Amino acid sequence: MDFSVGDIPIDIIIFSLIAIFLILRLRSVLGKKTGFEKHEAISLTVKAPAFLSNTKNKPVQPAVAPVPKVNYEIPAANSELGQTLQKISALDSTFVPQKFVAGTEIVFRKILTAFANADLNSLGSMLTSDAYSSFERAIKKRQEAHEIQKIEIKAICSIAITKAEIKSEVDSKKALIEVKIISDQLNCIFDKKKEPVVGTESVTEFIDFWLFERVLGMNGQDISWRLKSTRTGT
């Protein structure tokens, strides 16, 4: 039985041609690249806000609370105390009241730290012989009782010059200056069981009067002021 194209119904031929056209059209679309075929890395880096970064890409440092400024109280030059300080300056060209008070702040911190740590070597360079003996006795008594002293200066509120004197001796002259130091401290003594026995673990205001001494006319051999005595007051 012979078979020819003319025997195929015309509608089947038309549907076949349409199907072939649709297949070719779909293939052409699926064969094109739409831009998502490449598995490109997507950056997830989030840029820090300007206030958390700097121009040199350095690590951001945490904010540090500013240290409270100490109030230095210097007596007026025309006062009796101020005139005594001028006399000390005349005998010691290195003495300047403002620098002396600033130095007192540094020494105050160093002496209290050395005392709490039982550092007699450091204390020896900042105290007169009498003051050193007093500090040494207190440290030895503390050690014999197996006690530990904790001193933490939270703030020094003010330092004021309250007294000044020039004392003449047989072969020298000494300058004596007393300062009033108001500070906020955590100052407590603990026993061997770490229980507080003296002082308190809370921050407390301390008022101290420290007397400093310096031998005048040493021609630069010893220009340091040394702590002579201490007392507490109001």
Side-chain angles (χ1 to χ4, degrees), residues 54-222:
N54 52 45
T55 56
K56 295 184 179 179
N57 297 322
K58 293 181 180 179
V60 177
Q61 299 297 327
V64 178
V67 178
K69 187 176 180 180
V70 181
N71 180 32
Y72 296 151
E73 298 180 21
I74 309 298
N78 59 355
S79 66
E80 182 178 352
L81 183 52
Q83 291 176 0
T84 301
L85 295 177
Q86 291 182 35
K87 292 178 181 179
I88 295 175
S89 297
L91 296 171
D92 176 12
S93 60
T94 64
F95 176 74
V96 178
Q98 290 80 0
K99 290 183 178 180
F100 171 82
V101 175
T104 298
E105 178 189 351
I106 297 172
V107 172
F108 181 75
R109 295 179 184 275
K110 286 184 175 181
I111 289 178
L112 288 185
T113 300
F115 177 64
N117 296 333
D119 185 356
L120 291 171
N121 289 331
S122 295
L123 290 173
S125 63
M126 296 182 284
L127 311 179
T128 63
S129 57
D130 292 339
Y132 179 85
S133 297
S134 298
F135 276 69
E136 183 182 33
R137 285 193 300 269
I139 289 174
K140 287 185 176 180
K141 182 179 179 181
R142 196 174 68 204
Q143 291 175 333
E144 290 171 355
H146 302 285
E147 295 173 340
I148 297 174
Q149 178 122 25
K150 181 179 180 180
I151 299 177
E152 186 176 345
I153 300 174
K154 295 298 184 178
I156 297 179
C157 306
S158 65
I159 301 177
I161 297 178
T162 55
K163 293 180 181 179
E165 179 186 359
I166 299 174
K167 185 179 293 186
S168 297
E169 297 188 349
V170 177
D171 54 353
S172 65
K173 287 185 177 181
K174 289 183 179 180
L176 300 165
I177 298 179
E178 183 184 74
V179 294
K180 178 182 180 180
I181 305 170
I182 301 178
S183 63
D184 292 332
Q185 300 178 30
L186 192 159
N187 194 321
C188 191
I189 296 178
F190 300 87
D191 60 18
K192 58 183 178 182
K193 294 181 180 180
K194 297 184 179 180
E195 296 291 335
V197 293
V198 178
T200 175
E201 294 184 86
S202 61
V203 177
T204 306
E205 180 182 89
F206 283 78
I207 300 178
D208 296 287
F209 291 86
W210 283 23
L211 181 64
F212 289 89
E213 176 186 272
R214 159 137 160 69
V215 178
L216 302 173
M218 296 296 290
N219 296 321
Q221 295 179 28
D222 185 3

